[in-house]
Amino acid sequence: MTATKRPAPAGPGGRPSTDPDPVRVSFRRYAGVRTRVLEVGPPAAEPAQPARRSLGRRSGPRAVPRPTAPRLVLLHGYCDSADTWRPVLAELAAAGIPAIAVDLPGFGDAQPLRPGPILPQLDAFTTAVIREQAVLGSVVLAGNSLGGTMSLRAAQQPRLPISGVVSIAAPGFADSWLVRTVGRYPLPLRLYSSLPLPVPGFLVRKVAEQVVPRLLYADAGAADEFQVRRFTSLFPDYRATTARLDQARQLVAELADAYRLDKVRVPLLVVACGKDKLVTARSGRQLHTLVPHSRLLVREDWGHCPQLDDPPEIAELLNFFAAGAVRTTRAKRAETPPEAREGSAVS
């Protein structure tokens, strides 16, 4: 009998467990929130050293050239984490492109959100991440779902050093029945939240295992086991599920006044997905209409999280857009008189 060699078990994001992980993991603090950071690409250059004395004379600081390559900052969606970007980060790492993905406050391994409005807390956090990365190079933001919202809101701030934004399936424009249902909080959801006896945790998880692949992927049959397991862990029991539902309702209400799109001046790529069951492709088309200088990409074969459907294509798209966005913003900066450059969005 000839032995058959079995493939190595898959690691996070479908990566064979025998392969070295190109993603560096660390914990940092942004706007007072401790969070997990996934990072790829060449390590950042050391900052300039302070002046020091040499033979009785004071020498100047060691000059370190400022990197000019784009730095991608990847933001995830609601009830997600930075792990949603792991497959894309692996592709970017192979190409030597610097990028980071962070757990937003309240999700993944980040500290919880504080009571009160959600979007201002996420704004402060995102701003801190951008300012940190802008010291190292030109920042291009890419966000999926809620991350797309945060990227657009960051682009509305003219003083933030952003060179471009990719918004993937951002909600709040022309959303699907599911998002509208959460916002209106109809009778079935109210009954679920007010049941006298909690639904058993194993039943909640079983339902989540069936629902999650259908909501996130274009093809539920192609769902990655690691990613599905990660999502379903967010709904371990009845109490956690109802808490997330209440939080989602608050967020949908805040989305009603989330955008000031006339302030978006940086290059913007809007990605709309034809098989998205949470945010329809019509929403992306509407966003494109509201920001006339934006570019629109419609992919009929992608679902709500195309970074899971097609990581190589998303990585290539981000790399291509980032390079063009940085060239565009540098050209605009060169044409702008020095006295008018205060608050420029170019890093």
Side-chain angles (χ1 to χ4, degrees):
M1 180 181 293
T2 303
T4 302
K5 186 176 180 181
R6 295 182 180 180
R15 173 182 55 82
S17 60
T18 55
D19 290 352
D21 192 347
V23 179
R24 303 188 296 276
V25 181
S26 63
F27 284 83
R28 303 178 196 171
R29 193 172 290 273
Y30 300 106
V33 178
R34 186 175 185 271
T35 191
R36 184 182 54 136
V37 178
L38 308 183
E39 187 170 10
V40 298
E46 294 180 4
Q49 299 297 315
R52 56 189 181 276
R53 294 187 179 277
S54 176
L55 300 177
R57 292 178 297 174
R58 187 175 181 85
S59 63
R62 184 174 66 191
V64 176
R66 186 175 183 275
T68 57
R71 296 189 67 82
L72 289 165
V73 175
L74 310 177
L75 304 178
H76 64 77
Y78 182 74
C79 276
D80 204 343
S81 76
D83 288 307
T84 193
W85 292 106
R86 271 188 179 272
V88 172
L89 287 171
E91 297 286 339
L92 295 173
I97 300 166
I100 70 167
V102 294
D103 289 339
L104 293 174
F107 307 104
D109 288 327
Q111 289 180 316
L113 287 160
R114 299 184 301 275
I118 295 172
L119 291 182
Q121 296 182 57
L122 300 182
D123 286 335
F125 178 90
T126 303
T127 295
V129 175
I130 292 168
R131 292 197 184 282
E132 176 202 65
Q133 292 297 299
V135 174
L136 305 172
S138 301
V139 171
V140 173
L141 281 176
N144 171 237
S145 195
L146 174 59
T149 294
M150 302 321 302
S151 297
L152 289 170
R153 284 172 64 86
Q156 293 170 183
Q157 302 182 50
R159 294 183 181 275
L160 274 184
I162 303 171
S163 292
V165 166
V166 180
S167 175
I168 304 172
F173 300 99
D175 295 323
S176 70
W177 65 269
L178 184 58
V179 173
R180 292 195 301 270
T181 296
V182 171
R184 293 170 182 170
Y185 203 41
L187 181 60
L189 294 182
R190 292 201 302 270
L191 290 175
Y192 174 78
S193 298
S194 61
L195 286 173
L197 294 177
V199 178
F202 79 89
L203 184 57
V204 173
R205 291 190 296 273
K206 278 295 181 185
V207 172
E209 287 172 4
Q210 297 299 315
V211 172
V212 164
R214 288 170 170 78
L215 293 182
L216 303 186
Y217 285 82
D219 177 9
D224 183 278
E225 183 181 345
F226 167 77
Q227 298 289 352
V228 174
R229 209 167 47 237
R230 185 173 60 77
F231 271 98
T232 55
S233 68
L234 296 170
F235 308 99
D237 53 36
Y238 169 84
R239 178 178 296 181
T241 303
T242 54
R244 289 295 185 187
L245 178 60
D246 288 339
Q247 190 180 61
R249 288 178 51 232
Q250 177 183 341
L251 195 53
V252 169
E254 291 185 32
L255 284 173
D257 192 35
Y259 301 111
R260 300 289 184 272
L261 296 174
D262 58 309
K263 296 184 177 181
V264 176
R265 295 287 183 265
V266 298
L268 169 63
L269 173 62
V270 179
V271 178
C273 308
K275 293 189 176 180
D276 191 337
K277 302 174 185 67
L278 290 172
V279 178
T280 64
R282 188 163 63 93
S283 185
R285 293 187 177 95
Q286 179 69 11
L287 171 57
H288 171 56
T289 301
L290 294 171
V291 185
H293 74 267
S294 66
R295 297 168 62 189
L296 174 66
L297 171 65
V298 181
R299 282 291 298 261
E300 298 295 342
D301 57 332
W302 284 351
H304 185 63
C305 294
Q307 69 272 15
L308 300 178
D309 283 322
D310 197 347
E313 190 75 16
I314 288 293
E316 184 176 351
L317 175 68
L318 295 181
N319 183 29
F320 180 80
F321 172 80
V326 170
R327 286 195 300 269
T328 298
T329 48
R330 282 187 188 145
K332 287 183 179 179
R333 183 183 178 92
E335 296 170 357
T336 305
E339 62 274 11
R341 289 183 187 172
E342 181 182 1
S344 171
V346 182
S347 60

